[in-house]
Amino acid sequence: MTENVIEVDGLRKSFGDFEAVKGVEFTIQKGEIFGFLGPNGAGKTTTINMLCTMMKPTAGTGRICCHDIQSEKSTVRECIGIIFQENTLDEKLTAEENLMLHCKFYRVPKSERNGRIEEVLRMVDLYEKRKDVVERYSGGMKRRLEIARGLLHYPKVLFLDEPTVGLDPQTRTHIWDYILELKNREGITIFLTTHYMDEAEYSDRIAIMDHGKIIALDTPDNLKKMIGGDVIEVITEDNGKAIEEISQRYGNDVKAKGDSLAFSVKNGSEFLTGFVKQMIVPIKNISVHRPTLNDVFLNLTGREIRDEITNGTKKPKFGHRRF
Amino acid sequence: MEAIFAVWQRDIIKFFRDRARLFGSFAMPLMFLLIFGVGMNGALSSMFSTSGMDQFTGFNYVSFIFPGIIAMTVFSTSIFSALSVVTDREEGYMKEILVSPVSRTYVAIGKIFGSATVAVIQGLLMLAFVPLIGVEVELMNIIKLIPAMLLVAFTLSSIGLLVASTLKTATGFQAVIQVLIFPMLFLSGAFFPLNGMPGWMNALVKVNPMTYAVDMFKHIMLDVGSMNEVLKQAMGLNLKLLGHSVSTLEEITFIACIGALFVMLATVFFNRSG
């Protein structure tokens, strides 16, 4: 039997005249990894802030583990663990002290505290370093400690906001191993935001948000099927003219993707040979690949997921409006 | 309720871990004590001795200023400790606290307790100067001093938290506190006896809660009973409000009321700011 852990209905949030979230609804089942993607300013952060009880919705309801996010704030907070994108550890304290404080804030029974601290520290391989001041930790170790801390009160839902941003690939893989193990072992529901495509692939379902609305919600495979067939990526001498030529001749919707153009066709390899011969605008480079989530994202929002990071315009997340 | 203790404990652990802060906190009061205290003491003694008034023979500026220095330490430590609220917000730790089920009122109270405790410890550490500057303080008076310091520290910590709750940056906080702290310090009788001031300054002195705190500290630490009237007057120990001599009990009540008011205001504003 499936059990809804998160239920959101008609959730809205306005800041003055600006409507940041224009009525979203979705349900998340127990044990699911729910990917929450969208360009900056899409309303993701606002939605998460409302779910985490950090912000009051203008309208609509949200329930986490059957508790209302407005009227039962305190109970909701006990049910959720949040791993923020930025560091929220006290770096002057040791790992153990940070965890002990968390136990006290979350009313973990006294007799269980030491056991749980050891358990989570061992899980992220930091038990040996528990007496070290966090200041001396590397970026990856800090992240692991934050994840450990987020699990200390045995949350039913874990909010992961860009859990591996700024970490090296090896550490990222390592952290994902922990997250997946947790999901399998404890059945924790995970609410994930990320700008890494490979991370989004871990999701059971993905919601893509843009302009305050959820514009797609499905499994990664189904989302990719929406593209239909294969994706052709081409770099030409004159992209402007090429767009015109392609849409006239093949009637395809062409999207600019950095220096190159991307569009989808039924059968990529077959299409390619004819295409190369027919094109009048000289082609510099061409490739064909199966659709990725990035193609889905580009198709739906007109932007690439990674644009967000490379353009360096990322805003602080989680409640920055209120601090 | 344990959350209050946790917030408090964090401040205390961090206070003892930060050696630089511990020793640095001695610098300012020590400078005041040495430069002001010792320097002025010589100047004033020579002035009084040449004027030939023997009632002043008991006058010792160092013992006059010492309770004031302790008050200053307690006062500035407690008000400045609220800086941690601003830096917690800047460094992100405040989010960890605010998304937890802990009531914000508890967090505010924990913070006030933390700042107040640190301030009292700092104030007590000042007593380490006692043997160096030739002032005598009885053990009984030190014991009396602790609750008095706690009361003052509590009031000032809440003023600090109130300011911290309304400001966004550490630099902004420091600027506002500086503007607040200096007039409150200098118009409190901590550095000079509050005698013969113009009316407007006298009015400022009388509305300054620090005035009553400093006076309370002086009455606890100095042997007021054995002083003659002229000396008492010279030391500024006849604090009057609208012609009425203010008693220590009234001072305690006044500071406690101000304290209660600011604890409430600080809690309300902290709740809103989060």
Side-chain angles (χ1 to χ4, degrees), chain B residues 69-111:
Chain B
I69 298 277
I70 292 188
M72 175 184 103
T73 310
V74 172
F75 176 74
S76 52
T77 311
S78 37
I79 204 163
F80 260 117
S81 291
L83 180 63
S84 73
V85 173
V86 185
T87 51
D88 277 351
R89 213 152 40 199
E90 286 183 336
E91 287 163 12
Y93 192 79
M94 191 54 85
K95 279 187 189 170
E96 152 77 358
I97 300 178
L98 293 183
V99 295
S100 75
V102 176
S103 136
R104 283 166 199 198
T105 305
Y106 285 0
V107 178
I109 293 172
K111 274 283 170 198

Side-chain angles (χ1 to χ4, degrees), chain A residues 86 90 97 102 104, chain B residues 2 9-10 17 95-96:
Chain A
E86 66 268 28
D90 190 328
E97 286 165 341
H102 190 87
K104 287 176 183 164
Chain B
E2 202 193 359
Q9 194 187 25
R10 172 170 171 255
R17 196 157 290 170
K95 279 187 189 170
E96 152 77 358

